[in-house]
Amino acid sequence: MKYYFIFLCSLLLTNVFCQSNTEVFLFDLESTSSKIEVKNGKNISNNEGYDNQPSFLNEDYVLFASSRNDQTDIAKYHINYKSRIFINSTQGGEYSPLKIPNKYAVSAVRLDKDGKQRLYSYNLSNGESTELIQDLVVAYYTWHNENTIVSAVIEEEQLNLYVTNLLDDASKKHATKVGRSFHKIPNSDLVSFISKENDNQWQIKSFDPSTGKIRLIANTIKNVEDICWLDNKTILCGNDSKLYKLTLKRDNSWKTVADLSSYGITKITRLAVNAEANKLLIAGDISTSAPNDTQDSDDNASNNSETETTDTEVSLTETQAGAIVQKHIDPFNTRRLDEFANAFDDDVVVNRFPKDYMYSGRNTLKENYKQFFKNNKKSNVKVLNRMVHKNTVIDEELVTVNNRTVRQATVYEVDDKGIKSMTFVRNKETTSNPEAIVNTQLERYNERDIEGFTKTYSNDIKLYTFPENPTTTGQAALKKSYATFFERVPDLNAEVMNRIVLGNKVIDKEKVIINGQIFYAIAIYEVNDGLISRVTFIQ
């Protein structure tokens, strides 16, 4: 049974946001009528923390939002000299820096410490800032010309498209439910934006700020909203580590350009092409093992062709992952031992939650269940609820052994060969309802009440990533982390897609939107003495 709730975030948000490491990469770009190549990639931010939303100031400089001294400021990077400076020194955090047309100034969305979020201009000579649009909470934007801004404005938990004329301070709404990607279409007077009016299929549309006319251009890749224009006919976008292109009136579908995983990029989030169309900026999440400064190599170049590449670890769809787990259910119930054992990897590991090792290996598993079937005349498992995230499946199960029936949860990690780990989560008895404090925690988060939020946790709260990798220990550390997070993230939205309540544990799968970007994760809350004492994240 599924439970649906809307909250302005949950515990997993900080884990996703605070631990994500985004970097900005600069690539050389070569394109012909038949082929696009990206090569010589270099990590130009090379900075622990948040580095994102890059754009070209001109042919020599790049702008991007970058973390320093516990806040986000505007960084300016010199392409030839490979040097970086910061151009502002406000108390707030700046995001989405762009060059203002025909002026020696840039603009950025600023989130002040008092919670005020507005669009400002910054003089490149002295760094002084001026508020550009009053009374509108601008989240994302682009410049149509030096006096006209097309933006996504936060209204009632969604983004709506506005046009603002700075000469007369007039703003007008033209579309609702839009995404974060706004771009001037090359060699035209049009701006592109992402329409999310159709939840099942987002669309790229053109918009004429002078007339208000909107036209459909193309469909996006599913749930992908970050694009940029190579020229007025070709669009680039990223999905996970892969770069795609769509040439209008020629390509019937998005075509793979390159797999950038060799640079450590796991998820492409933002893209920008310079005016000469010979350089490409990409912001993306990077793996923790990624090199800090990736130099071009023959190996890297070999991955940047317009062909599909094979990942070393196969990423499964939710349907595929669920089907792999399902392969052992029926054989268990009908006691077909060989078929049951063959659903598991050769080196499968079996644990009790969180990481209490029991045994490993398919042969050992087979011997254990052979003895189990011999000792118990009747055994059956029924799946009551199933949640899937990437290659992890959690089943809520009703298990009957002889005349005794118990409810449990089992965490399965799978790959294309079978089940590679199986972790049993036991039903621990409790006299209280653990959902109550978890929901209170979510409500306090929704209110950004850091004091009330912190009070829902025990003094010795511990946060982990699955199975048992510690990330945060103690209420003071949690409070510090969340206080910063509350100040800096203006648009948080989480929806509990599925929930399992098992004794003192609440297991939630959540869909989270952070600045327009969608994340999924699973949080396993453990409640003791009426407070959340432990949370384990599966990301």
Side-chain angles (χ1 to χ4, degrees):
M1 182 177 181
K2 294 188 176 181
Y3 300 74
Y4 295 95
F5 302 96
I6 296 179
F7 303 97
L8 288 184
C9 205
S10 73
L11 230 172
L12 69 93
L13 282 173
T14 288
N15 219 41
V16 170
F17 185 86
C18 293
Q19 289 190 11
S20 66
N21 187 11
T22 53
E23 299 283 6
V24 176
F25 289 79
L26 178 65
F27 292 87
D28 290 332
L29 187 61
E30 294 183 3
S31 61
T32 64
S33 59
S34 60
K35 189 176 183 180
I36 299 173
E37 288 185 283
V38 292
K39 55 187 180 181
N40 303 329
K42 182 177 180 61
N43 181 345
I44 64 172
S45 54
N46 200 15
N47 174 48
E48 185 174 351
Y50 184 80
D51 300 278
N52 210 321
Q53 302 161 334
S55 63
F56 287 94
L57 177 64
N58 51 39
E59 292 304 303
D60 296 321
Y61 288 99
V62 166
L63 302 171
F64 58 93
S66 182
S67 297
R68 66 164 177 170
N69 301 327
D70 295 326
Q71 72 173 45
T72 304
D73 291 321
I74 305 171
K76 185 172 75 168
Y77 176 86
H78 197 292
I79 295 173
N80 294 325
Y81 296 143
K82 300 178 177 59
S83 62
R84 180 180 62 180
I85 63 171
F86 287 89
I87 66 174
N88 67 302
S89 58
T90 66
Q91 293 298 309
E94 277 79 13
Y95 302 88
S96 301
L98 290 176
K99 172 73 168 64
I100 300 178
N102 303 320
K103 294 185 179 180
Y104 193 60
V106 301
S107 55
V109 174
R110 186 163 87 207
L111 178 61
D112 291 323
K113 290 189 174 182
D114 62 1
K116 179 181 178 181
Q117 179 175 320
R118 294 291 186 268
L119 184 65
Y120 286 83
S121 66
Y122 297 80
N123 189 311
L124 286 173
S125 298
N126 54 28
E128 292 183 355
S129 61
T130 303
E131 188 174 348
L132 289 171
I133 304 176
Q134 296 182 352
D135 302 325
L136 288 182
V137 184
V138 174
Y140 310 99
Y141 69 100
T142 193
W143 290 87
H144 179 244
N145 56 45
E146 62 186 281
N147 298 312
T148 307
I149 300 170
V150 180
S151 63
V153 173
I154 301 174
E155 291 182 320
E156 298 180 351
E157 299 184 7
Q158 72 178 27
L159 297 177
N160 297 326
L161 187 152
Y162 274 77
V163 172
T164 299
N165 186 326
L166 298 180
L167 295 178
D168 57 13
D169 293 325
S171 297
K172 182 179 180 181
K173 184 193 297 188
H174 288 269
T176 59
K177 294 187 69 173
V178 301
R180 67 188 180 197
S181 186
F182 288 80
H183 296 276
K184 185 76 180 296
I185 300 177
N187 302 317
S188 78
D189 289 325
L190 304 177
V191 170
S192 68
F193 70 96
I194 305 299
S195 172
K196 295 184 176 181
E197 290 183 325
N198 183 340
D199 292 334
N200 296 319
Q201 178 59 71
W202 298 347
Q203 296 177 319
I204 305 169
K205 294 185 176 181
S206 68
F207 171 65
D208 188 337
S210 301
T211 64
K213 183 175 292 186
I214 295 174
R215 295 182 182 274
L216 174 64
I217 297 176
N219 291 331
T220 69
I221 295 176
K222 186 173 180 61
N223 292 336
V224 171
E225 62 175 318
D226 292 305
I227 69 162
C228 72
W229 291 83
L230 178 63
D231 52 43
N232 62 353
K233 295 294 183 183
T234 301
I235 309 170
L236 301 179
C237 81
N239 189 21
D240 294 331
S241 65
K242 292 183 179 179
L243 181 68
Y244 292 84
K245 68 98 174 178
L246 181 72
T247 300
L248 304 179
K249 298 183 179 180
R250 191 177 79 182
D251 294 334
N252 294 322
S253 61
W254 291 89
K255 308 297 183 183
T256 304
V257 173
D259 187 337
L260 304 179
S261 58
S262 61
Y263 292 93
I265 298 172
T266 60
K267 184 177 181 61
I268 297 170
T269 60
R270 305 296 173 88
L271 310 94
V273 172
N274 66 343
E276 299 297 321
N278 59 11
K279 292 193 181 295
L280 171 68
L281 286 168
I282 285 180
D285 296 342
I286 65 170
S287 61
T288 56
S289 60
N292 287 333
D293 191 5
T294 307
Q295 303 293 337
D296 48 308
S297 66
D298 292 339
D299 290 341
N300 290 342
S302 67
N303 286 329
N304 293 334
S305 59
E306 198 167 350
T307 59
E308 294 281 354
T309 62
T310 302
D311 297 327
T312 56
E313 181 176 338
V314 177
S315 180
L316 304 172
T317 66
E318 290 192 3
T319 301
Q320 290 170 329
I324 287 172
V325 170
Q326 191 64 33
K327 285 181 180 180
H328 86 292
I329 300 292
D330 290 339
F332 175 85
N333 291 338
T334 55
R335 301 191 167 209
R336 302 194 305 272
L337 183 59
D338 287 341
E339 187 176 343
F340 170 78
N342 287 336
F344 295 83
D345 284 4
D346 289 339
D347 55 353
V348 60
V349 178
V350 180
N351 297 316
R352 295 185 184 92
F353 182 83
K355 198 180 179 182
D356 183 8
Y357 175 81
M358 295 175 65
Y359 58 86
S360 61
R362 182 194 291 161
N363 291 336
T364 304
L365 177 141
K366 186 174 180 179
E367 286 300 316
N368 286 341
Y369 276 91
K370 180 180 179 181
Q371 192 63 39
F372 173 85
F373 289 149
K374 182 179 179 180
N375 294 340
N376 299 281
K377 293 182 179 180
K378 180 182 178 182
S379 58
N380 181 270
V381 60
K382 180 180 180 180
V383 178
L384 302 177
N385 186 9
R386 173 171 289 168
M387 62 176 66
V388 186
H389 176 57
K390 295 182 179 177
N391 288 21
T392 300
V393 178
I394 302 181
D395 279 354
E396 180 184 4
E397 300 166 341
L398 198 64
V399 181
T400 300
V401 179
N402 296 326
N403 295 319
R404 181 170 178 262
T405 300
V406 298
R407 193 167 58 91
Q408 69 177 29
T410 306
V411 182
Y412 301 94
E413 292 183 290
V414 304
D415 56 25
D416 59 331
K417 302 179 185 66
I419 299 169
K420 66 179 184 179
S421 78
M422 180 168 62
T423 302
F424 298 111
V425 184
R426 297 303 183 188
N427 189 347
K428 181 180 177 180
E429 291 185 4
T430 181
T431 58
S432 63
N433 177 12
E435 283 188 283
I437 192 65
V438 172
N439 289 342
T440 298
Q441 172 263 149
L442 291 169
E443 290 170 3
R444 298 294 86 80
Y445 198 108
N446 189 23
E447 297 163 358
R448 300 188 187 184
D449 176 2
I450 188 61
E451 298 297 332
F453 178 78
T454 306
K455 288 178 181 177
T456 62
Y457 300 95
S458 63
N459 289 332
D460 59 350
I461 175 67
K462 294 180 175 63
L463 307 186
Y464 298 86
T465 57
F466 185 82
E468 200 173 25
N469 303 309
T471 60
T472 303
T473 300
Q475 198 182 80
L478 178 140
K479 182 177 181 180
K480 180 180 178 181
S481 176
Y482 274 90
T484 302
F485 185 67
F486 285 168
E487 289 177 358
R488 295 187 175 179
V489 183
D491 62 331
L492 303 179
N493 186 73
E495 180 180 355
V496 178
M497 305 298 293
N498 198 346
R499 171 171 282 183
I500 297 170
V501 181
L502 188 72
N504 73 326
K505 299 177 181 67
V506 177
I507 306 172
D508 282 348
K509 179 181 178 181
E510 302 187 51
K511 173 185 175 182
V512 184
I513 299 175
I514 304 174
N515 290 332
Q517 188 171 351
I518 297 175
F519 298 90
Y520 291 90
I522 292 173
I524 304 175
Y525 302 87
E526 297 180 58
V527 177
N528 290 293
D529 298 324
L531 296 173
I532 301 169
S533 59
R534 177 188 178 112
V535 187
T536 302
F537 296 99
I538 301 172
Q539 300 178 0

